[in-house]
């Protein structure tokens, strides 16, 4: 199981030290949530943070765009060092296929994110155009929410259809097992890792699934 600690839940005042700890603990990717205050209410980090992280680690940067206009973010994030970039299937006013191709044009893996209320049918027209599916098991925008078990059927649907099935939201030592059994290949975890008395132990627990 790949594990991608979510930087959103980290203490940003000690981020360089935290990144070193995550590397030593065996994290596979770093997950970065980019929010614009429109697609979701909060505003978070952007290309400058990604650039700083890329200079501090060799771990692949897994970037989740929760934004209304991803076309404005893709190039700066790719140049900054993002390796995987996800856009949302809910952006029905956008040409999603073209955006996925745009991500590929920078040498990044393209990902499609799907919210809890969206049917998997919203992704099927694009299955040949992205490598990673990001199944949201909470409503996007806030850390620390509870895992929504209806995500499990979505995880199972994508088995054998995409390269990576990434699950994001409410992941802990119990829900991670549910996600793994359903077919997840990577887990995004924030609060569970960073609130654990030993974050390295939490990462190893998730990786051992």
């Amino acid at each position: 199981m790949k594990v991608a600690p979510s930087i959103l839940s980290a203490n940003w005042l000690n981020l360089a030290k935290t990144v070193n700890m995550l590397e030593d603990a065996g994290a596979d990717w770093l997950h970065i949530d980019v929010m614009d205050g429109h697609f979701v209410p909060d505003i978070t980090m952007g290309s400058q943070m990604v650039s700083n992280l890329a200079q501090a680690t060799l771990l692949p940067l897994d970037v989740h765009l929760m934004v209304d206009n991803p076309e404005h973010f893709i190039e700066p994030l790719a140049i900054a060092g993002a390796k995987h970039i996800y856009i949302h299937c809910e952006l029905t006013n956008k040409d999603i296929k073209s955006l996925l191709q745009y991500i590929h044009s920078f040498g990044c893996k393209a990902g499609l994110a799907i919210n809890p209320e969206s049917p998997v049918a919203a992704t099927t027209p694009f299955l040949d155009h992205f490598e990673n599916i990001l199944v949201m098991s909470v409503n996007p925008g806030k850390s620390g929410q509870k895992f929504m078990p209806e995500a499990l059927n979505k995880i199972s649907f994508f088995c054998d259809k995409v390269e990576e099935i990434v699950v994001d939201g409410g992941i802990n030592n119990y829900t991670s097992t549910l996600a793994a059994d359903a077919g997840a290949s990577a887990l995004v975890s924030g609060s569970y890792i960073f609130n654990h008395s030993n974050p390295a132990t939490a990462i190893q627990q998730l990786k051992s699934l």
Side-chain angles (χ1 to χ4, degrees):
M1 181 65 67
K2 295 183 179 72
V3 175
S6 176
I7 293 299
L8 185 63
S9 297
N11 181 343
W12 292 9
L13 293 179
N14 298 303
L15 205 49
K17 181 178 178 181
T18 297
V19 168
N20 290 335
M21 178 274 292
L22 295 173
E23 286 182 320
D24 292 343
D28 297 281
W29 309 334
L30 294 183
H31 186 78
I32 302 165
D33 290 308
V34 176
M35 307 178 191
D36 65 355
H38 297 283
F39 188 82
V40 293
D42 281 356
I43 297 173
T44 57
M45 60 206 94
S47 58
Q48 184 60 56
M49 176 71 85
V50 171
S51 177
N52 290 344
L53 288 168
Q55 295 174 52
T57 182
L58 296 176
L59 294 177
L61 303 182
D62 186 63
V63 179
H64 177 195
L65 291 181
M66 288 177 267
V67 300
D68 277 349
N69 296 296
E71 64 273 16
H72 300 322
F73 292 80
I74 291 168
E75 181 175 7
L77 288 166
I79 291 171
K83 297 303 181 186
H84 319 146
I85 300 177
Y86 303 87
I87 61 172
H88 267 267
C89 68
E90 292 80 15
L91 296 172
T92 55
N93 62 327
K94 300 292 182 179
D95 185 341
I96 290 176
K97 179 180 174 181
S98 293
L99 287 169
L100 294 169
Q101 292 172 337
Y102 190 45
I103 293 169
H104 282 143
S105 74
F106 294 101
C108 299
K109 287 189 176 181
L112 201 58
I114 180 169
N115 284 342
E117 74 276 6
S118 298
V120 292
T123 69
T124 52
F126 314 109
L127 280 173
D128 293 334
H129 301 284
F130 64 90
E131 290 78 37
N132 297 1
I133 186 75
L134 182 66
V135 177
M136 296 301 299
S137 45
V138 298
N139 290 312
K142 293 285 186 181
S143 62
Q145 298 181 67
K146 290 185 178 180
F147 183 90
M148 300 171 73
E150 51 265 45
L152 297 173
N153 286 336
K154 284 189 178 125
I155 297 167
S156 298
F157 171 83
F158 289 108
C159 288
D160 303 322
K161 292 182 174 66
V162 297
E163 183 176 316
E164 297 279 8
I165 302 172
V166 188
V167 183
D168 182 2
I171 293 296
N172 55 38
N173 58 331
Y174 171 67
T175 59
S176 59
T177 301
L178 299 178
D181 289 346
S185 58
L187 301 171
V188 175
S189 182
S191 297
Y192 178 65
I193 290 174
F194 291 108
N195 292 339
H196 198 283
S197 59
N198 188 333
T201 297
I203 290 171
Q204 287 303 313
Q205 287 173 344
L206 299 178
K207 284 178 66 70
S208 67
L209 295 170

